[in-house]
Amino acid sequence: MIEKFKTLFFVKCSLISLYLALTIPIPFISIGNLKFLSIFIFVLGLYLIINITSDYVETSNKKISYKTSFISRTLGRKNWEIPWKDIKLIKKLPTSQGSKVYYFNTTRGDNFLIPQRVENFERFISIICENTKIEVDEISYISPLWTYKLLTFLSVSMIIGELFAYLG
């Protein structure tokens, strides 16, 4: 059975709302002949940020795959696919912020970053455990969910403040 795990909703919301908070004022403050260009670039940027936050993971009985959009691939992110039987171990490495990231290490010596920002994360981890027979109890989200919620709240607050400033 194929299961699809999309990017976590709060991650998408935080990135999109931050983009909006930082760029909404630009079309309004741009001068005459640059107004159309600034609106076009604003819309293009919004399209790009929505597109690059649409990557997902797909699992089946035989393999795990990471699928990116055309835009993400153009910007350097790569699709990957690993048969479950080729996963030798899961390596963990600390991040500079104090979290941990995890990598699938394959029998060929390749390392693939395990996505830690996907919806239905508990199910995702259980599928990894079922198919690799590797204990993965300590794998969790790369950062607490409240950080994404806080960033979304702050970004939306900025947008509301910008609207009041513009309309007032």
Side-chain angles (χ1 to χ4, degrees):
M1 177 172 83
I2 294 175
E3 289 190 57
K4 186 175 180 178
F5 298 90
K6 297 178 182 179
T7 300
L8 192 63
F9 175 76
F10 290 113
V11 171
K12 285 181 87 159
C13 282
S14 66
L15 294 172
I16 292 168
S17 63
L18 180 61
Y19 172 80
L20 291 172
L22 295 173
T23 59
I24 280 177
I26 295 171
F28 295 106
I29 62 173
S30 60
I31 56 174
N33 54 355
L34 293 178
K35 197 168 281 293
F36 176 77
L37 180 62
S38 66
I39 291 170
F40 173 75
I41 291 173
F42 169 78
V43 172
L44 177 64
L46 183 59
Y47 171 76
L48 291 175
I49 198 78
I50 290 170
N51 192 285
I52 64 174
T53 58
S54 297
D55 297 350
Y56 62 94
V57 178
E58 210 171 68
T59 61
S60 70
N61 294 335
K62 297 182 181 192
K63 65 185 177 182
I64 181 169
S65 307
Y66 183 74
K67 308 282 186 173
T68 63
S69 66
F70 172 76
I71 302 293
S72 290
R73 285 190 301 280
T74 303
L75 296 173
R77 292 178 98 176
K78 296 183 172 144
N79 289 338
W80 52 259
E81 185 175 284
I82 315 169
W84 290 115
K85 63 181 179 49
D86 289 354
I87 297 173
K88 179 173 66 172
L89 61 96
I90 294 176
K91 292 195 305 189
K92 77 175 170 181
L93 295 171
T95 66
S96 59
Q97 293 84 23
S99 292
K100 291 179 181 68
V101 291
Y102 297 87
Y103 290 86
F104 292 121
N105 181 259
T106 66
T107 53
R108 290 182 285 166
D110 296 323
N111 293 302
F112 298 92
L113 183 65
I114 298 175
Q116 291 175 259
R117 294 180 179 117
V118 294
E119 291 183 341
N120 202 359
F121 192 71
E122 293 77 22
R123 175 68 183 139
F124 176 64
I125 294 301
S126 72
I127 290 172
I128 291 173
C129 188
E130 290 167 17
N131 287 286
T132 63
K133 307 300 184 229
I134 298 171
E135 194 56 45
V136 292
D137 286 342
E138 65 183 43
I139 297 177
S140 63
Y141 290 114
I142 193 163
S143 52
L145 294 180
W146 67 263
T147 60
Y148 300 110
K149 293 175 183 179
L150 179 61
L151 182 57
T152 302
F153 173 76
L154 293 172
S155 298
V156 170
S157 298
M158 284 175 61
I159 293 168
I160 291 169
E162 291 163 355
L163 289 173
F164 277 123
Y166 180 74
L167 298 173

